[in-house]
């Protein structure tokens, strides 16, 4: 039997899905961004975000990794499986980073200027 509350949950989920599809730019600005670390790679390898976005790296791999800015702007401790590291990017620009344990692991965060409307929020 379908209850009223499960119908409400389904309707809410549909509404959220429709709103997310209708306003992709708005949700990209509002939502902070995650980068997974798995199979000795940053996924996605290159991410574009708006200024003011917090990026969180999550180590889903089974060996420790770090997140180290090439310009020494930030550096995580060794992240064990399941550990996270966050950095908030406030200034537009391209930020290269790598894993200091495995320097062939590289990634980039491209920070775009926040729009006037989002700066007022
Ligand atoms: Cu690594």
């Amino acid at each position: 039997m379908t209850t009223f509350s499960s119908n409400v949950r389904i309707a809410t989920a549909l509404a959220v899905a429709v709103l997310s599809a209708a306003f992709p730019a708005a949700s990209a600005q509002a939502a902070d961004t995650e980068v997974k670390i798995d199979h000795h790679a940053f996924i996605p390898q290159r991410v574009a975000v708006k200024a003011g976005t917090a990026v969180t790296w999550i180590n889903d791999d089974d060996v420790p990794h770090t997140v180290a800015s090439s310009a020494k702007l930030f550096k995580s401790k060794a992240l064990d499986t399941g550990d996270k590291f966050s950095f908030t990017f406030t200034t537009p620009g391209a930020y290269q980073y790598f894993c200091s344990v495995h320097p062939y692991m590289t990634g980039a965060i491209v920070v775009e200027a926040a729009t006037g409307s989002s700066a007022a929020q």
Side-chain angles (χ1 to χ4, degrees):
M1 161 182 146
T2 304
T3 64
F4 173 75
S5 67
S6 74
N7 280 336
V8 168
R9 272 200 296 275
I10 291 167
T12 303
L14 283 174
V16 168
V18 168
L19 285 172
S20 300
F23 303 102
S27 61
Q29 283 177 23
D32 289 334
T33 297
E34 286 185 358
V35 176
K36 290 189 186 303
I37 307 171
D38 203 1
H39 294 91
H40 288 69
F42 296 106
I43 305 165
Q45 200 256 345
R46 184 182 178 89
V47 180
V49 300
K50 297 290 185 188
T53 301
V55 176
T56 299
W57 287 264
I58 302 171
N59 186 6
D60 282 343
D61 212 343
D62 52 11
V63 297
H65 296 289
T66 71
V67 179
S69 157
S70 302
K72 298 184 168 27
L73 191 64
F74 52 85
K75 183 179 179 195
S76 76
K77 66 179 180 66
L79 303 175
D80 288 324
T81 303
D83 282 353
K84 299 179 181 182
F85 172 74
S86 294
F87 185 82
T88 300
F89 292 86
T90 55
T91 307
Y95 298 86
Q96 313 289 331
Y97 65 90
F98 61 100
C99 169
S100 59
V101 185
H102 316 98
Y104 58 85
M105 292 174 58
T106 62
I109 306 294
V110 178
V111 181
E112 300 163 348
T115 61
S117 59
S118 68
Q121 288 171 358

